[in-house]
Amino acid sequence: MESGSVTTPFGRRPMTLGMLASQVNSQKIEAGASTDKWKIYRALCEAKPLLDISDRALTVLNALLSFYPKSELAAGENLVVFPSNAQLSLRCHGMAEQTIRRHMAALVAAGLVIRKDSPNGKRYARKTRNGEINDAYGFSLAPLLARAAEIERLAAKVAADRLYVQTLKERLTLTRRDISKLVHAAISEELPGDWQAFNGRFHDILNQLPRAAAPHAIASTLHLLETLRDEILKRLELQIKTQTLSGNDSQNERHIQITESESNLDSEASVETNVPELTAVNSPLANSVNVSGTELTRYATGTNAASTIFPLSLVLQACPEVRNYGPAGTVGSWQDLIAAGTVVSSMLQISPSAYKSAYRVMGPQIASAVLACILERAGTINSAGGYLRDLTRRAQRGEFAIGSMLLALARAREHDAPH
């Protein structure tokens, strides 16, 4: 431990009770106490918001620590360093001496170092004949050792507060994203409800949050947003239950209608009788697809109608993957293909509204064939539901024909097949 005498500042600098308190506390270091000087410095850097010290002041403290020859500050050692202002300036990366003095005063005021001024105000050390320092005048680092436990506790509090704020901000970001996407999904799916009002409430809550918000303001905003998200989720869950019940009813109704006209769907030949002969031998659709081992000789040309019915064998040849989703793992009739389409739409996460709209506009056979094509190309389609909606809108305008889609898939499989 250093000498127990109290030191007063040289020259015009006044003595304060804070300086006296720092000196008294630094004399209460327990015997055998020690701390790594760079460990305590890192803790100071962490705790600086609570100690009210600046980065520049910490730079000066770093330079002071570099003049202490040992790695640990220990009780019973002389903890005074005595560099000149010129030497401090070099180790502070050229900081002006006037600036160094200002930040040194801040360190003294914060109780992190103590001035131990000589009679003439110079910094120096007196050594014994053996070369050991007997007494030194400069800046004492004893407060760092005396306050080591306090500084580490403050650093831990700052780190915990920072983690708490970071967690709040992460939850806030996730909740904002959830609300935005859920409302957008409800609007795009045209679900009943005043979703614009939810969107307005969402933005009103966000607008009340300042750019540099305190933790309590972030927590309050997060609570409001989580409450809003829970309300939106309840509305959407209710819509899902309603649509599920409605979808089951409409699906049962479709099965009844299909059963009544089963004789027209179970036979591929009966569908093909409605397909006119090719009008041109060199049509781009002719001589390109084998149906049941023979060339396709009858196909509709010269039309963009989405409702043209094609041979079931052509659909299965172009889209063989759909067979796995039919009843008993196979598709042997149009009725099987329609049943497979119901499974495929659910698997591809196509919304019930998009599914029903396609069946209403295109008819069950064509819509099921379109779903089979989408399944075949699922790896290259980002949003199956959005793609189906786009095809449905084009079909309504008479701008979509499934023939080109089927023939393209069939040709691709024929090209990829081993010769």
Side-chain angles (χ1 to χ4, degrees):
M1 176 136 348
E2 299 175 71
S3 173
S5 61
V6 173
T7 177
T8 55
F10 172 79
R12 296 181 180 180
R13 290 192 298 269
M15 182 67 178
T16 65
L17 289 178
M19 292 180 184
L20 181 60
S22 296
Q23 294 181 36
V24 172
N25 291 334
S26 67
Q27 294 171 11
K28 297 179 181 179
I29 301 174
E30 295 181 1
S34 65
T35 186
D36 184 277
K37 64 179 182 180
W38 298 122
K39 179 181 177 182
I40 198 66
Y41 176 75
R42 287 191 294 271
L44 272 173
C45 292
E46 188 79 58
K48 68 177 182 179
L50 300 181
L51 293 170
D52 196 24
I53 51 176
S54 66
D55 295 339
R56 304 294 295 278
L58 287 173
T59 300
V60 175
L61 180 60
N62 181 286
L64 284 177
L65 289 171
S66 70
F67 284 103
Y68 187 72
K70 298 180 181 180
S71 61
E72 285 198 347
L73 305 176
E77 298 287 341
N78 192 315
L79 301 179
V80 176
V81 292
F82 40 91
S84 67
N85 285 341
Q87 290 174 318
L88 273 175
S89 178
L90 287 175
R91 297 202 185 183
C92 290
H93 313 291
M95 186 183 295
E97 293 185 11
Q98 183 177 359
T99 305
I100 290 176
R101 286 193 292 270
R102 185 171 69 251
H103 292 303
M104 194 68 71
L107 292 172
V108 172
L112 299 177
V113 297
I114 295 173
R115 291 183 186 274
K116 186 178 180 182
D117 288 344
S118 66
N120 61 3
K122 301 293 184 181
R123 300 171 199 157
Y124 57 87
R126 295 191 183 279
K127 297 183 180 180
T128 65
R129 291 186 178 184
N130 297 330
E132 296 180 355
I133 296 178
N134 183 37
D135 201 2
Y137 298 97
F139 298 100
S140 173
L141 304 175
L144 295 179
L145 179 57
R147 299 179 62 184
E150 176 196 354
I151 292 171
E152 290 178 355
R153 185 174 64 254
L154 292 176
K157 183 180 185 307
V158 171
D161 290 346
R162 185 174 62 249
L163 180 60
Y164 171 67
V165 172
Q166 181 181 350
T167 303
L168 283 179
K169 289 182 177 179
E170 288 175 352
R171 289 174 57 192
L172 183 67
T173 299
L174 292 174
T175 307
R176 288 177 59 181
R177 186 180 71 191
D178 291 345
I179 294 174
S180 177
K181 289 187 177 290
L182 289 173
V183 171
H184 182 268
I187 293 174
S188 63
E189 296 287 345
E190 300 177 356
L191 299 180
D194 194 357
W195 299 107
Q196 293 297 344
F198 281 110
N199 198 39
R201 286 171 57 190
F202 171 55
H203 288 289
D204 288 342
I205 294 172
L206 289 181
N207 290 336
Q208 295 174 5
L209 184 66
R211 182 177 294 274
H216 70 274
I218 299 176
S220 176
T221 301
L222 176 62
H223 174 70
L224 293 175
L225 289 178
E226 287 179 338
T227 302
L228 179 61
R229 181 184 62 184
D230 291 342
E231 187 177 347
I232 292 172
L233 283 173
K234 288 180 182 178
R235 295 287 184 91
L236 289 175
E237 287 172 1
L238 181 61
Q239 291 293 333
I240 290 172
K241 291 179 182 178
T242 304
Q243 288 198 357
T244 300
L245 294 174
S246 176
N248 289 338
D249 292 341
S250 61
Q251 183 176 348
N252 293 336
E253 182 181 347
R254 280 200 302 273
H255 286 322
I256 293 172
Q257 292 174 348
I258 290 169
T259 301
E260 291 174 352
S261 58
E262 197 172 18
S263 59
N264 291 330
L265 294 176
D266 285 343
S267 171
E268 181 183 328
S270 65
V271 175
E272 292 188 18
T273 57
N274 295 327
V275 182
E277 298 288 342
L278 284 171
T279 57
V281 176
N282 59 351
S283 167
L285 302 178
N287 304 321
S288 60
V289 178
N290 292 330
V291 177
S292 303
T294 62
E295 293 185 344
L296 180 67
T297 57
R298 298 198 297 174
Y299 196 79
T301 60
T303 179
N304 285 329
S307 59
T308 303
I309 305 299
F310 300 97
L312 177 63
S313 52
L314 172 59
V315 177
L316 298 179
Q317 183 173 323
C319 311
E321 289 293 327
V322 77
R323 296 176 187 267
N324 300 324
Y325 300 92
T330 185
V331 173
S333 65
W334 281 104
Q335 182 126 359
D336 290 346
L337 182 64
I338 293 171
T342 303
V343 178
V344 168
S345 68
S346 176
M347 187 196 70
L348 295 178
Q349 297 183 344
I350 296 173
S351 67
S353 60
Y355 173 84
K356 289 190 289 187
S357 179
Y359 271 57
R360 185 179 65 253
V361 173
M362 301 180 185
Q365 295 100 320
I366 298 300
S368 299
V370 168
L371 285 170
C373 293
I374 293 176
L375 173 66
E376 201 69 28
R377 298 178 54 198
T380 61
I381 297 174
N382 291 330
S383 172
Y387 186 54
L388 181 62
R389 284 186 181 277
D390 180 63
L391 294 181
T392 303
R393 286 191 291 266
R394 289 168 56 189
Q396 280 183 315
R397 299 193 299 265
E399 298 174 356
F400 167 66
I402 191 176
S404 58
M405 180 183 292
L406 288 171
L407 266 294
L409 288 171
R411 285 172 176 169
R413 297 194 64 82
E414 186 180 60
H415 180 268
D416 295 338
H419 296 287

